Amino acid sequence: MADIYGSAYSGTDPLHRPSGIVVDAGVRRFRNVVNLATDGGGAANNIIAADVREGVSVFEARMASSVDLSAINFTIGTDAAPTKYGIAQAGPAAGVTKVFTIPVAQLAADPLTNPERIKFFPSAALPAAGSIVVAVFASKR
């Protein structure tokens, strides 16, 4: 039986130590709070979650809400690629934090080479009252 090093441990280092970009990388949290009564609830408005810069790798997205969003599906991505960070997934129930599944291709992707604005795209109108908290987590160099 042999060890499989994978890309994080297969650099030019003969001891197969990770570079620090993927392993032991710092984490950035991007958080946004939306008050649905004043910030565009009652319509199928997109929620800006993060403005990430080059050099980061997105690895997690979360949403919590004071109202039930389980009947609304959300994709996560950019205007150019609305499903880049998540295909349609049901939102959270009231008072619950939902961790969205990030596609494996994005988890395995190299760090971004350009900044991106990441959004949650709803499949239907958001409630007209309540609060939504979104968070995107990314590792950085």
Side-chain angles (χ1 to χ4, degrees):
M1 189 174 346
D3 295 334
I4 298 174
Y5 288 102
S7 62
Y9 292 89
S10 294
T12 57
D13 182 349
L15 298 178
H16 298 287
R17 291 179 291 210
S19 68
I21 294 171
V22 176
V23 177
D24 287 337
V27 173
R28 285 208 154 100
R29 179 182 79 149
F30 302 86
R31 177 181 151 273
N32 194 9
V33 179
V34 176
N35 180 337
L36 294 169
T38 59
D39 294 336
N45 291 323
N46 305 326
I47 300 170
I48 296 172
D51 284 328
V52 297
R53 62 184 192 206
E54 66 281 351
V56 305
S57 294
V58 174
F59 66 88
E60 188 172 295
R62 297 180 189 181
M63 178 184 286
S65 178
S66 64
V67 294
D68 186 8
L69 300 176
S70 62
I72 301 174
N73 287 326
F74 291 89
T75 63
I76 306 164
T78 64
D79 285 333
T83 60
K84 181 175 182 177
Y85 296 109
I87 60 171
Q89 299 169 63
V96 175
T97 299
K98 163 91 183 232
V99 178
F100 287 79
T101 302
I102 304 288
V104 172
Q106 286 308 313
L107 294 173
D110 290 331
L112 296 174
T113 56
N114 294 302
E116 288 186 341
R117 173 165 279 178
I118 298 173
K119 300 178 183 179
F120 283 79
F121 297 92
S123 64
L126 299 170
S131 296
I132 298 173
V133 179
V134 293
V136 171
F137 295 83
S139 61
K140 65 180 181 71
R141 295 179 189 199

